[in-house]
Structures are given as structure tokens and as C-alpha cells.
Amino acid sequence: MERWKRNVAGLFLMFALTYALYFVWLYVESGGTMMVSYELPESWFPLFVGIFTFGVAFLGGFLLTAVTREDLISRRSFLPQLLTLSVLLGFLSGVMATAVKSSTSRPFLLVVFLLGVALWITFARRHSKEIQAEEPITDEREELIEL
């Protein structure tokens, strides 16, 4: 099995183990009812939205890259860009969750959101050369037709 496949399988195994431990904890803490009531402070909602969005963006980007571009996995040149873009996406989603849930000035949050989008686009454009293929991609079907 290739190394990236082992790494992806290891990630899925870690997630499965985490959920299994969570269900065991839930069963123990609930006394067998599998229901626990806990109310988080409302101010934590944007933080959880940002963390969740970051996790989904980073994991999804990593898995998509692992499946489609094995050359980037071996060079690992995409990781800083993927990490930064995931952090920015998590930040932007946290800002939007703050705009929805709180009474903070919406024009201020809109400006922060637009600045975050501009920073995201600038960073992606500046580092786009790092994720370009080093060799031109050729279509083998054309070569077979010419023969």
C-alpha cells in the first residue's frame, strides 16, 4: 500500500477511535440513556463554527490533493498554502457566524470579511506557482490516435 493511502487510512482510524471513545464517554456520563444536556455560552458559537470549517477545509483539501495530485503529496509544498487558506476560511466563517449571532456592528464585520477574502485571494495568487505541475500534462489518447 502506498504511503499516502496508509496516512489517509490512519486518519480515518483516528476519527473512528475518537468517535468510539466519545460514545463510551456519552454512555458512561448519561447513565445509559445516551443523552447529556449541556448549554454552551452563546459567545462560543463563532469559535466552534470557525474550528469546524477549518477542519473540514483542511481535511477535504488534503484528501482531494492526495487523490488527484500525488506529486504534491510527495513534495509537501502545498501544506503551508492549504493550512493558511483553511485558517482564513475558518476565520471568515467565524466572522459570518459572529454577524449572525451577535449585535456587533454589521458594517464592521462586513469590512473584516471583505479584508479576509482579499487576503485569501492575494495569498492564493501569490503561492499558485508552488502547486503548478512541474511537467506539462499530456493526453495519451492523442498520441495513440496519431500512431
Side-chain angles (χ1 to χ4, degrees):
M1 185 186 296
E2 294 177 39
R3 183 175 180 188
W4 72 268
K5 289 180 183 177
R6 283 194 313 265
N7 290 343
V8 170
L11 282 174
F12 282 126
L13 184 64
M14 284 183 0
F15 283 128
L17 182 63
T18 302
Y19 278 114
L21 290 174
Y22 168 72
F23 285 131
V24 167
W25 170 84
L26 182 61
Y27 184 79
V28 169
E29 291 296 317
S30 67
T33 64
M34 296 296 282
M35 293 176 63
V36 175
S37 176
Y38 178 72
E39 185 95 17
L40 282 175
E42 194 171 309
S43 61
W44 285 40
F45 177 72
L47 177 67
F48 284 126
V49 167
I51 290 171
F52 178 76
T53 305
F54 162 76
V56 168
F58 186 78
L59 183 64
F62 186 82
L63 290 176
L64 188 63
T65 304
V67 170
T68 58
R69 298 283 306 271
E70 292 180 27
D71 61 321
L72 288 180
I73 294 291
S74 63
R75 287 187 302 173
R76 300 196 188 245
S77 61
F78 76 102
L79 278 177
Q81 182 176 2
L82 179 63
L83 182 66
T84 305
L85 292 177
S86 298
V87 166
L88 282 171
L89 187 61
F91 169 74
L92 293 177
S93 64
V95 167
M96 295 313 293
T98 303
V100 169
K101 293 297 278 183
S102 74
S103 61
T104 307
S105 168
R106 291 193 187 203
F108 170 73
L109 290 174
L110 182 63
V111 168
V112 170
F113 180 78
L114 292 176
L115 285 175
V117 169
L119 183 62
W120 191 19
I121 291 171
T122 303
F123 185 83
R125 289 186 60 135
R126 185 166 291 163
H127 293 283
S128 65
K129 296 289 185 199
E130 295 172 7
I131 61 172
Q132 300 274 328
E134 290 181 352
E135 53 205 39
I137 300 171
T138 58
D139 190 1
E140 292 139 5
R141 293 176 294 180
E142 292 177 7
E143 295 173 6
L144 293 175
I145 294 172
E146 291 175 4
L147 290 175

